[in-house]
Every structure is written in C-alpha cells, then in structure tokens.
Amino acid sequence: MSYFMSEKKVRVRFAPSPTGALHIGGVRTALYNFLFARRHGGRLILRIEDTDSRRFVPGAEEYILESFKWLGITFDEGVSFGGDHGPYRQSERRDIYTTYVQALLDNGKAYIAFDTPEELEAKRNETANFQYDASTRMQMRNSLTLPAEEVNRLIAEGKQYVVRFKIDAGEDIHVGDLVRGDVVVNSSVLDDKVLFKSVDGLPTYHLANIVDDHLMEITHVIRGEEWLPSAPLHVLLYRALGWEDTMPAFAHLPLLLKPDGNGKLSKRDGDRLGFPVFPLQWKDPQTGEASSGYRESGYLPEAVLNFLALLGWNPGHDREIMSMDEMIESFDLARCSKSGAKFDYAKGIWFNHQYIQAKPDGEIAGMFLRILEEEGVTAAPDKVITVVGLTKERVDFVKELWDAARFFFVAPTAYDEKTVKKRWKEDSAKHMLELADVLDGIPGFTSGEQESAVMDWIAAEGYGAGGILNAFRLALVGEAKGPHLFDISWVLGKDETLARIKRAVETLR
Ligand code: GLU
C-alpha cells in the first residue's frame, strides 16, 4: 500500500475554522503543508471549515486570506483560488455531507439520538464520568432503543436529533503518524461522537473533515498536535465509510510552547509578553479587543517564515538562514520533533535583523521612505539609500531606522545633556570653529578626504583626537551615537555640516 501511496500525487490541505484571527501556530501548520506540497510537486488546498455557525466570526476568512498573501504562501486550490474539487467552503457543501450521514445510518455505523441537553445533563449528574458510548447507549433515547415507528414519528413531528457514530468497544486503533510513529488508542475511550445536528442541518467538524479529505483526495493530513486525539476517530470514520484504501497519512506537529517552555503558547501570551502571536493585527469584532501582528510590528514576511519553519523542524544542518527554496529542498516530516517547540521570541527578532541586513538597501529604503513621510520628512531616495546602508546594521526593524538615523534628515535642536557634560569641554567651541575652517578649506568632501585633512590638522596642532571627534559628533548628531563620523558629515554635505557646527558652538558656548 505504501508503494501505491507514494505513486499518488501529493495533495495536502490547510483547513482553518474562521473563528478569529489565525494564530501563529496555524501559520506554521500552513507553512509545513506548503513546504511539503512544494517538496513533492504536489498541491496545497485551502479549505474553510465553517460548519460551526456558533463560532463563526465575521472577517476571519478575509483575515486568513490576507495573512497568506502577506506571507507569500500560495495555494493551488481552495477558497478564492478555485479548483475542481470545490466548493471549498464547508458551509456550501451541506448536501454532500447529508449523503454520507445517510450512508452511515443505512449501513448501521451511525444512529439517531433524541436525548435532550437536559436529559444528558441529568445522566452526567447521576453517573460520574458519563460517556455516551457502547456501555451506555442502550440506556438512552435513540434509534437503537426506540421502535422504528417512534423514531419516524419523532422526526416527522420535527423533534430535534443528532446522528451519532456507533463505535465498537475494545478495539485497538492504530494511527500511523509520520512524526510520532504508531499511535495506539483503544476504542473504549472514545465516545459516540455527534456527526450531524438536525437543528442546523450541518455536520460536525469530524464528519465534514473526513468527507472532504476523501473527496478532495487528500494524501497527507499535516496539522497541529491538538488534533491528535481526534485521529483515531477519523481512522474509524474512514473505515466506516469504506474509504480505508485512500486513508491519508497523518502528521501531527509539535505544540508551540511559551518562551519559558511552561505550557502551550496562547493568544494571551503575546500581548502579555510583548510580542505578536498573530500574522496581522486583529481587532475582535465582538469584544473590540485589539492584538498586534507581525506585519504591523515591522517584521519581514520572509523572516517570519524562516523563524517559524525551524520551530519544530530540524533541516539536518545548522544553517539557520534559509531561503524558501532551500527550505522546500530539505523539508522532511521525519525531521519534525514530537516534543513541543519553545517560542523563542528573541530568535524571531534575530531573524528579522538578519533579513534586513541581507535585503538590498534600495528595498529597505523604500520602506523607510514611508516612515520618513509619516514623520514629515522629504528626502531624496538616493540619500535614503545611502543612509540605510550606513545604519541598518544597528537595527532589528525598519521602523527603528527613524531613531537610528533621524539626524541625517533633521538637525539636532537640543543636545543630550549627559553627552554635553562628558564631551563638550572648555576649548571645544574654539576647536570646532577651527575645524569648520579646515573643512571649509578642502576641495572635496568625501569621507576619506575629510578624514585625512582633519587628522593632519589635529596632528599639526598637537590636539587630542578623541576630544575633537567627540565634540564634532555631538554637534552633528546631538548625542553620542551614529555610524562612522566622516560618513555622517559626507552625507550631510559641507553646508549642513558647517551649519551644525556653528549652531552647536552658539548653543553650547
Ligand atoms: N478546522 C480545523 C482547525 O481549525 C482543522 C483541523 C485539521 O486540519 O484537521 O484547525
């Protein structure tokens, strides 16, 4: 069978429920599906699992689509991508599910149950750890215990019912998991899961998920560990529907853990610990609560993907910076870990820093120009590119360039007090006026030309270089920071450099 499976064209899916913003763990699941599909020349499908109308959140589907667009994860089929296995939104597939619910009823693998919520509640109160299963179902009000005429009458009267899966007790169910190996669960621990509810005529997650995986010819189900407990049930459903031969392989990915490793990373951790857990910022339409996103926080999508790819997968070498093509090339589910992956947020920042350094200055300048605009600064693109080249190694985020490089565009109006105390000495004003004359007198104004003229003058006068250069930097920047000093004056140009020296002398005298 495995030979046959490997001959089949790989088809995987990402199947989010639109119940809110897409969690970063979901993004990692989608990424692994994407890498797997590309690695094997297969297809990636986006299916929206929206059969639970009570949990539907308006805007969530759009949010999911926009997130993947930003990240650059592309789907081959699915909601908004088209394809010949549609519709890909489960709420548009009602009739399809009804057919299979009926098939399960007809072949005795499922039954109709009329127990009301109150009756179930009473049962739970009466029996500790009550479970609706092989040991209890014959005490309940369902089509196994009621005469057929009564079942028909209740349905005709419009009584509400659910369809439950009839699970035989005492069988070991094997889930062949590509990450975890053979996972064995005894069917006695499973309850007779609800597959369909008459109240809205919709299937539950489990049935819709299996029917769609089958009809969409899914070969591998790659999803988060939280779905592992459902997998034995899914195996049984495949069998009950007679689809055992096309059962997909499973791969349950490790959990993402809090940065300290203590428990599962939650939505709350993000804003509590000061980092985003969503790709894009999100405002909950019900509560109005806002959560930050990677995009708005200034991350480059490539950095986010590279960071996420290594949370739970080991490429087999220790090169951490990997292009998408390299990740695809080496992606292997067998190299995913079983144990949870700590969400090391600082590492995410490190990745962003690396990607900023690797990006052409022109591209970063394009992003920085927008920030400059917001700050009310107009600057020539060429100058911005040069400034980016001189300062980007000092930042982790493009938006930090404003702080690191604003003095290139806006002259200091105040001088940092501590620096003044330390670096503006009694003779600094006199030295700066002489320096201005030296700089004014040189024919060229490149960084190198300035440097040699200034160093010659300092040597000839017998001055201390440190004191002069510190005061010069204070005059240009307003504080003790920035790249190589003569690079700053070169970018500022002669007029602006002389003007800043003059202003510092007047202000600090
Ligand atoms: N709709 C489920 C979710 O929201 C899909 C789980 C699966 O991939 O089977 O994650």
Side-chain angles (χ1 to χ4, degrees):
M1 184 180 103
S2 59
Y3 178 70
F4 170 74
M5 288 287 285
S6 65
E7 291 291 286
K8 266 208 312 196
K9 193 159 165 76
V10 163
R11 290 174 60 83
V12 291
R13 84 303 194 270
F14 180 61
S17 302
T19 55
L22 180 62
H23 189 265
I24 200 75
V27 176
R28 187 200 52 177
T29 298
L31 172 63
Y32 283 21
N33 275 284
F34 174 82
L35 294 174
F36 187 79
R38 296 291 170 268
R39 171 81 180 87
H40 296 282
R43 287 170 80 76
L44 173 62
I45 293 144
L46 178 66
R47 183 170 77 220
I48 298 289
E49 303 208 322
D50 58 348
T51 57
D52 190 347
S53 48
R54 289 163 309 173
R55 296 184 59 217
F56 179 83
V57 173
E61 182 183 307
E62 291 75 7
Y63 177 96
I64 291 166
L65 292 170
E66 199 184 330
S67 298
F68 289 126
K69 207 166 146 197
W70 176 65
L71 288 160
I73 290 183
T74 50
F75 292 81
D76 305 298
E77 289 173 34
V79 169
S80 90
F81 298 94
D84 54 10
H85 289 66
Y88 294 93
R89 203 180 275 115
Q90 289 188 328
S91 56
E92 293 165 21
R93 298 171 65 79
R94 281 168 185 267
D95 297 346
I96 299 173
Y97 306 125
T98 319
T99 310
Y100 295 102
V101 171
Q102 195 53 53
L104 289 169
L105 287 170
D106 291 346
N107 70 12
K109 304 285 187 195
Y111 59 93
I112 291 173
F114 295 99
D115 319 87
T116 62
E118 295 73 30
E119 284 165 351
L120 290 169
E121 185 56 34
K123 259 289 177 212
R124 278 188 215 108
N125 291 336
E126 165 194 317
T127 320
N129 304 321
F130 170 78
Q131 178 164 282
Y132 207 124
D133 62 15
S135 69
T136 57
R137 67 170 82 102
M138 296 313 284
Q139 311 156 18
M140 308 299 289
R141 272 194 335 120
N142 55 48
S143 58
L144 303 173
T145 58
L146 301 171
E149 311 82 71
E150 186 166 358
V151 170
N152 293 335
R153 185 177 54 78
L154 289 170
I155 294 175
E157 275 174 8
K159 280 275 182 306
Q160 248 144 55
Y161 64 89
V162 297
V163 173
R164 287 185 181 268
F165 192 29
K166 188 162 168 260
I167 297 182
D168 295 330
E171 188 207 341
D172 276 343
I173 308 156
H174 293 260
V175 180
D177 191 295
L178 296 172
V179 174
R180 285 149 214 278
D182 185 27
V183 178
V184 190
V185 173
N186 194 277
S187 62
S188 297
V189 306
L190 304 177
D191 65 332
D192 287 355
K193 273 274 172 311
V194 171
L195 301 178
F196 177 88
K197 302 179 273 33
S198 69
V199 59
D200 54 10
L202 280 168
T204 57
Y205 154 74
H206 300 288
L207 184 87
N209 189 264
I210 295 313
V211 166
D212 287 349
D213 281 351
H214 174 72
L215 295 179
M216 295 178 185
E217 300 180 77
I218 299 303
T219 57
H220 298 76
V221 167
I222 304 168
R223 61 186 172 189
E225 177 172 312
E226 62 273 29
W227 300 101
L228 184 59
S230 303
L233 172 71
H234 293 178
V235 168
L236 291 179
L237 268 172
Y238 257 92
R239 266 201 235 155
L241 286 158
W243 297 334
E244 211 173 345
D245 288 349
T246 61
M247 181 139 49
F250 290 96
H252 289 93
L253 305 175
L255 284 178
L256 291 185
L257 303 177
K258 293 183 201 303
D260 62 8
N262 267 329
K264 194 177 142 184
L265 180 72
S266 78
K267 291 184 192 181
R268 306 238 164 331
D269 290 329
D271 290 321
R272 182 175 67 84
L273 298 169
F275 58 79
V277 291
F278 297 117
L280 316 180
Q281 90 186 10
W282 167 256
K283 192 162 172 204
D284 190 294
Q286 268 124 34
T287 63
E289 192 191 343
S291 310
S292 65
Y294 278 84
R295 181 178 65 183
E296 293 74 16
S297 300
Y299 282 83
L300 302 175
E302 306 93 304
V304 175
L305 292 179
N306 196 159
F307 168 51
L308 287 179
L310 296 178
L311 288 176
W313 168 60
N314 169 358
H317 54 69
D318 51 18
R319 249 181 316 107
E320 293 181 288
I321 301 294
M322 298 174 79
S323 68
M324 190 56 105
D325 284 346
E326 286 174 298
M327 292 197 277
I328 290 169
E329 181 66 28
S330 42
F331 190 74
D332 184 355
L333 285 171
R335 285 189 167 279
C336 288
S337 70
K338 286 191 270 260
S339 47
K342 266 190 232 168
F343 194 79
D344 180 0
Y345 181 64
K347 193 77 198 199
I349 297 178
W350 179 85
F351 272 105
N352 209 54
H353 178 85
Q354 300 301 322
Y355 273 85
I356 286 180
Q357 308 319 307
K359 262 214 189 300
D361 294 345
E363 237 178 277
I364 302 289
M367 302 180 211
F368 187 32
L369 263 165
R370 283 196 289 276
I371 295 171
L372 288 171
E373 233 164 73
E374 280 165 31
E375 297 290 349
V377 171
T378 30
D382 276 354
K383 175 173 174 182
V384 179
I385 293 173
T386 306
V387 168
V388 164
L390 291 174
T391 49
K392 72 176 184 181
E393 66 177 28
R394 291 153 194 274
V395 303
D396 297 325
F397 297 97
V398 173
K399 64 180 177 203
E400 290 173 355
L401 283 171
W402 172 243
D403 224 37
R406 61 177 292 161
F407 56 85
F408 279 106
F409 307 98
V410 185
T413 48
Y415 301 88
D416 178 60
E417 238 174 84
K418 264 206 206 127
T419 316
V420 172
K421 239 191 214 139
K422 231 165 83 192
R423 305 200 151 165
W424 194 267
K425 299 278 151 59
E426 219 155 283
D427 44 8
S428 290
K430 169 180 163 279
H431 289 158
M432 287 304 105
L433 290 173
E434 288 174 37
L435 171 68
D437 282 343
V438 172
L439 291 173
D440 200 14
I442 55 178
F445 207 68
T446 63
S447 181
E449 287 164 322
Q450 293 179 62
E451 186 162 0
S452 56
V454 171
M455 295 324 275
D456 286 352
W457 158 69
I458 287 175
E461 297 296 330
Y463 292 152
I468 304 264
L469 300 180
N470 284 339
F472 186 23
R473 181 179 294 277
L474 178 65
L476 296 185
V477 178
E479 53 188 310
K481 69 171 193 191
H484 182 59
L485 183 54
F486 295 104
D487 283 343
I488 301 177
S489 46
W490 163 61
V491 173
L492 291 176
K494 189 183 272 189
D495 291 348
E496 178 66 14
T497 298
L498 298 183
R500 288 191 189 190
I501 292 175
K502 221 172 123 200
R503 189 164 331 120
V505 168
E506 281 162 8
T507 314
L508 298 172
R509 204 193 285 276

